[in-house]
Amino acid sequence: MTQQQTTDTGEPRTPAHQLTLHLSSTRRGARLARQLAVQQFTEWTGLPHDSGPARTVALATAELASNAITHGNAPGRDFRLTLLHLPRPTAVRIEVTDTRPERLPPDPASLAPPADATSGRGLLLVQAYADRWGCTVHDAYTKTVWAEVSLQQPNTSSPLRTERGSERATTRAHEA
């Protein structure tokens, strides 16, 4: 089950296509999530595997899945990958749902890891590359961290699209 998406004007965003998979909370599961997301993305859009949007889908999926198995894992529980092809504006939404709703992702801006750290930059990458991202807590048992990737290639040659506004949204379905 996915949440209802809306545009900036409040109109519903119904996905043209949807894929949902349950994967093991292991490094192999995260790797498979990335590979399957890119494969499905290229099938839906016709864009090549090495296009900018496909690489962004790969990066965002890898980081969100890695966070799910590292920080959102409960013993014996899998994570769920959902891909939504959104027609207007044309984008792909990547949702990774885990079983630790009490462990919300921190604001990446407040995390600046030391320069010599070997980890801790995943959400900074998601924020830099995705058009929008956020976290939704649906119930007492799950949370979904999501990112949206536009199918249009940016007009900049820089890999970090800092001029594009990332949206960090945290909602709690049971509070609405």
Side-chain angles (χ1 to χ4, degrees):
M1 183 166 102
T2 60
Q3 65 186 35
Q4 175 73 23
Q5 306 303 314
T6 60
T7 63
D8 293 335
T9 61
E11 298 172 25
R13 292 172 66 184
T14 304
H17 304 286
Q18 179 175 336
L19 172 73
T20 300
L21 302 165
H22 290 265
L23 300 161
S24 65
S25 291
T26 63
R27 291 188 318 177
R28 182 173 186 242
R31 185 174 60 247
L32 188 58
R34 178 183 51 82
Q35 292 169 342
L36 292 172
V38 171
Q39 179 64 36
Q40 188 63 61
F41 173 81
T42 60
E43 286 181 24
W44 283 343
T45 64
L47 293 172
H49 286 269
D50 63 349
S51 67
R55 286 181 286 188
T56 301
V57 166
L59 178 135
T61 304
E63 293 302 335
L64 296 181
S66 177
N67 283 350
I69 66 169
T70 303
H71 306 292
N73 184 18
R77 301 296 302 267
D78 297 338
F79 71 92
R80 182 176 65 221
L81 170 68
T82 301
L83 300 173
L84 303 162
H85 184 201
L86 304 171
R88 289 183 201 94
T90 307
V92 169
R93 182 176 173 111
I94 304 145
E95 297 181 348
V96 176
T97 303
D98 65 46
T99 57
R100 298 295 299 270
E102 75 280 5
R103 297 183 96 181
L104 296 176
D107 181 4
S110 67
L111 286 183
D116 60 347
T118 59
S119 64
R121 293 178 182 84
L123 288 177
L124 289 170
L125 290 170
V126 171
Q127 182 176 17
Y129 281 88
D131 296 296
R132 298 175 355 127
W133 78 279
C135 178
T136 304
V137 176
H138 298 286
D139 53 39
Y141 307 104
T142 61
K143 78 168 176 298
T144 299
V145 183
W146 55 267
E148 289 184 6
V149 176
S150 173
L151 301 189
Q152 299 170 358
Q153 301 225 14
N155 294 331
T156 179
S157 60
S158 171
L160 296 178
R161 299 179 308 191
T162 54
E163 74 280 357
R164 299 182 80 166
S166 295
E167 175 184 300
R168 178 168 158 74
T170 303
T171 58
R172 297 183 191 275
H174 60 277
E175 292 179 0

